[in-house]
Amino acid sequence: MAVVLELIERQGSENQKRSGKKAYIAQQHVRDKLIPPTQRKGKQRVWEKAVAWLAENESRIRVEQQRVAGEDVFVWRWIGSEETDSNDEQIEDERDISSLR
């Protein structure tokens, strides 16, 4: 999952710096960067599980449907920012964790 997150974050950060807008990347483009064409059919179930896991468990990305080159596709949009990611407070004490329950 880390490689997928890095691709999404990098794409979002680079495009935001260039255009000032939060950018997205098509899920298919990420798949195509990671899985060679000859292996896509055999790894389809693994890819689908990864996509579902990210949608359910990753708060720094948003799944959207966008029109890309005239085709409606699902995309990932990075909504975490370098500022918030680097300044996240670490919970160091068990009492802090228990107060969140």
Side-chain angles (χ1 to χ4, degrees):
M1 297 305 160
V3 174
V4 175
L5 286 173
E6 287 174 21
L7 285 170
I8 298 167
E9 180 181 13
R10 187 175 338 119
Q11 180 78 20
S13 296
E14 289 173 3
N15 285 351
Q16 187 170 2
K17 287 175 186 173
R18 281 196 305 263
S19 68
K21 298 178 183 176
K22 294 274 187 182
Y24 56 84
I25 185 169
Q27 290 178 358
Q28 297 162 319
H29 294 175
V30 175
R31 180 204 62 206
D32 293 351
K33 286 183 178 187
L34 298 174
I35 306 172
T38 57
Q39 296 178 10
R40 288 188 192 141
K41 187 175 182 179
K43 296 194 179 210
Q44 183 64 27
R45 285 178 37 169
V46 172
W47 175 252
E48 289 170 358
K49 285 182 180 182
V51 169
W53 189 92
L54 288 167
E56 293 175 20
N57 297 289
E58 185 53 62
S59 66
R60 296 173 293 175
I61 60 172
R62 178 179 298 140
V63 177
E64 301 174 356
Q65 192 170 18
Q66 296 283 337
R67 186 164 294 239
V68 178
E71 183 180 346
D72 289 332
V73 297
F74 286 102
V75 301
W76 282 307
R77 184 180 303 271
W78 180 258
I79 59 172
S81 69
E82 291 177 24
E83 181 179 299
T84 57
D85 291 344
S86 63
N87 293 329
D88 285 343
E89 293 182 21
Q90 298 294 318
I91 300 175
E92 297 178 11
D93 190 310
E94 180 63 33
R95 288 173 289 166
D96 292 336
I97 295 170
S98 64
S99 70
L100 297 174
R101 295 181 190 152

